[in-house]
Amino acid sequence: MIKIITIIGARPQIIKASAISRAIKNDFNNQITEVIVHTGQHYDQNMSGVFFDELQIPMPHYNLNVGSISHGEQTAKMIIGIEEILLNEKPNYLLVYGDTNSTLAGAIAASKLLIPIVHVEAGLRSYNKTMPEEINRILCDHASTLLFSPTDIGFNNLVKEGFNAKQSNKASASNPYVFISGDVMFDNLLHFNKIAGSQQYLIQKKLEVEPLNYVLATIHRNANTDDTNKLSAIFNAFVEIATKNNIPFVIPLHPRTAKLLASNLHSTVYEKVKKCVLLKIIAPVSYLEMISLQSNSKMIMTDSGGLQKESYFFNKPCIVLRPETEWTELITCGMATIADANEELIINVFEHYLNYKIPQSLQLYGNGNAAQFILAQLIKHN
Ligand code: UD1
């Protein structure tokens, strides 16, 4: 029996973990056992708890409850907690997702104990080192033994950084293996989309929006939330577009952004936002509510990585509220456009996408079996 320790901490990791946990339960129950460690980076019910219930993820065996502290202290506390668990549990692998502080902490703790690291969502690069996530993902990739990139571009990024495209001998920290696995988020979407259908009615009724006649928007990146000019430009664009086109915006707001709205928006913009009834600012929603909101939206505007891809899964054009993206294939195929926090650009791209002819879908993120592929490789390389 192979034992994996899975580290989760932030909302998207909890969602991604459900694909692997489900595949273990359904297809690898006799070969793999999973111990889940929640770092507690996200702790609100609507940022964490709700996903365990809804996505049927086993409850974490450990919770480190690190909470919201400075990035350095947060990462340090996680390393201490994870190291202790690794020493007790003696797993064959440590599995981490994505690029958060929880990912980095897991990778550091395991690398010191020579426990092979499995990085799911490896190889993504924004080439913007002011993002904490870019540093986290580079450091994690370079400490990992098995690296699973969701895309060809991610795989090529790793090869450019010196990883071997061709594999020989046994995988190890000094002979890491890189794979294109497809995206576990696509696995999840195929699995949960049918269930989410039944939620549509409820959420739309509650929000009083018509299908295909609202914009779904999210903002949580520090680069936007902590910069008064950027945050104001984004919200000004939302008010302008909503008012001019009489189209509502549904904005499930990350707690970081919600806490900063009053202090970080220019006061004139804050007043406009408060008065604009077409901006429906709500608390973060569950995964099923989110995919229901996405599938029924007209368009999506976001600084989240996950939402950019989900827009594509649902054939919705996406305006990226960042200066760059890790998911460049979305730009190339025309389904996403970078507008950063540029008010004029956001408005122009909205108009461009208003009557947009959606290009044919290209299976950019695998075939829905990324989790099975990843687990099969873990068995092979143990
Ligand atoms: C983290 C990740 C980011 C990911 C995002 C997904 C890092 C460096 N960043 O960003 O890559 O896209 O998760 O959501 O790891 N807060 C609450 N309740 C919570 C969680 C957070 O109120 O349950 C508030 C706190 O004020 C906290 C702030 O949000 O200080 C930021 O939380 P943090 O976990 O540091 O980073 P995220 O912005 O969530």
Side-chain angles (χ1 to χ4, degrees):
M1 191 66 117
I2 293 175
K3 188 197 267 190
I4 313 175
I5 297 260
T6 298
I7 306 291
I8 54 176
R11 177 171 56 179
Q13 292 164 332
I14 304 170
I15 296 170
K16 285 166 201 159
S18 94
I20 296 270
S21 297
R22 193 171 55 250
I24 293 176
K25 192 170 125 209
N26 293 342
D27 304 320
F28 295 88
N29 213 5
N30 299 326
Q31 293 155 289
I32 298 178
T33 166
E34 184 184 35
V35 175
I36 298 181
V37 178
H38 192 330
T39 62
Q41 180 172 349
H42 287 172
Y43 44 86
D44 286 355
Q45 171 62 15
N46 58 15
M47 293 294 284
S48 172
V50 62
F51 301 108
F52 287 92
D53 308 338
E54 194 176 76
L55 306 183
Q56 294 141 26
I57 310 166
M59 283 314 278
H61 301 79
Y62 298 91
N63 194 322
L64 303 175
N65 293 311
V66 295
S68 295
I69 35 181
S70 74
H71 279 206
E73 192 181 351
Q74 189 183 56
T75 312
K77 284 202 166 141
M78 292 176 194
I79 296 173
I80 296 170
I82 295 169
E83 179 174 62
E84 202 182 316
I85 296 167
L86 292 176
L87 286 168
N88 284 337
E89 294 280 353
K90 302 186 178 47
N92 301 83
Y93 292 107
L94 172 118
L95 189 151
V96 284
Y97 294 97
D99 54 20
T100 72
N101 293 340
S102 302
T103 315
L104 177 64
I108 293 178
S111 70
K112 304 286 176 198
L113 298 172
L114 306 182
I115 294 169
I117 300 161
V118 178
H119 190 198
V120 175
E121 217 177 63
L124 298 180
R125 298 290 180 264
S126 65
Y127 296 103
N128 173 356
K129 285 196 178 167
T130 65
M131 288 175 69
E133 294 85 358
E134 182 76 353
I135 305 296
N136 290 346
R137 56 171 85 103
I138 293 172
L139 296 179
C140 179
D141 276 342
H142 285 263
S144 294
T145 294
L146 299 179
L147 296 88
F148 294 96
S149 171
T151 61
D152 300 5
I153 292 178
F155 180 88
N156 291 335
N157 290 340
L158 292 169
V159 173
K160 274 188 249 157
E161 287 174 26
F163 286 89
N164 246 329
K166 291 217 175 74
Q167 304 162 347
S168 58
N169 304 323
K170 200 172 153 20
S172 68
S174 42
N175 184 37
Y177 274 33
V178 293
F179 305 90
I180 302 169
S181 57
D183 194 334
V184 288
M185 283 189 65
F186 185 49
D187 296 13
N188 269 338
L189 194 98
L190 293 179
H191 182 79
F192 287 109
N193 196 20
K194 289 190 198 95
I195 310 170
S198 58
Q199 303 253 333
Q200 284 174 18
Y201 180 67
L202 267 179
I203 185 130
Q204 281 162 28
K205 194 171 172 196
K206 209 163 71 190
L207 295 169
E208 294 171 348
V209 290
E210 296 294 324
L212 303 180
N213 189 34
Y214 63 90
V215 175
L216 177 68
T218 73
I219 307 137
H220 77 277
R221 296 274 166 195
N222 331 32
N224 286 330
T225 57
D226 301 356
D227 183 317
T228 306
N229 291 332
K230 286 190 167 199
L231 196 64
S232 300
I234 291 171
F235 272 92
N236 225 3
F238 290 177
V239 174
E240 291 296 313
I241 293 168
T243 318
K244 187 171 161 212
N245 300 277
N246 193 26
I247 186 166
F249 275 60
V250 175
I251 313 176
L253 215 52
H254 186 291
R256 152 205 288 297
T257 323
K259 280 177 202 163
L260 292 170
L261 270 195
S263 57
N264 284 9
L265 280 181
H266 291 313
S267 55
T268 47
V269 181
Y270 184 58
E271 288 310 314
K272 277 201 245 173
V273 169
K274 275 203 302 186
K275 275 196 207 116
C276 183
V277 288
L278 288 166
L279 298 195
K280 295 174 185 290
I281 298 179
I282 57 173
V285 293
S286 76
Y287 177 71
L288 294 185
E289 285 173 328
M290 193 50 145
I291 55 181
S292 168
L293 280 174
Q294 291 176 83
S295 66
N296 287 288
S297 67
K298 170 87 186 153
M299 193 184 303
I300 296 179
M301 302 191 189
T302 188
D303 60 8
S304 146
L307 239 70
Q308 291 173 42
K309 275 178 301 167
E310 284 168 349
S311 309
Y312 167 81
F313 299 153
F314 286 114
N315 286 326
K316 308 292 172 184
C318 178
I319 304 185
V320 181
L321 305 172
R322 284 179 45 195
E324 72 281 303
T325 178
E326 299 79 18
W327 308 101
T328 50
E329 57 282 335
L330 295 175
I331 311 293
T332 313
C333 78
M335 285 302 285
T337 300
I338 288 174
D340 196 6
N342 181 323
E343 185 181 335
E344 205 185 320
L345 203 52
I346 298 170
I347 296 171
N348 288 345
V349 181
F350 169 83
E351 276 159 17
H352 165 69
Y353 275 149
L354 207 47
N355 296 308
Y356 189 63
K357 192 168 173 305
I358 303 291
Q360 243 190 346
S361 193
L362 297 161
Q363 285 242 307
L364 293 172
Y365 298 103
N367 57 11
N369 285 319
Q372 279 78 3
F373 175 84
I374 291 166
L375 293 169
Q377 295 302 328
L378 264 55
I379 294 172
K380 196 166 154 195
H381 289 276
N382 183 40

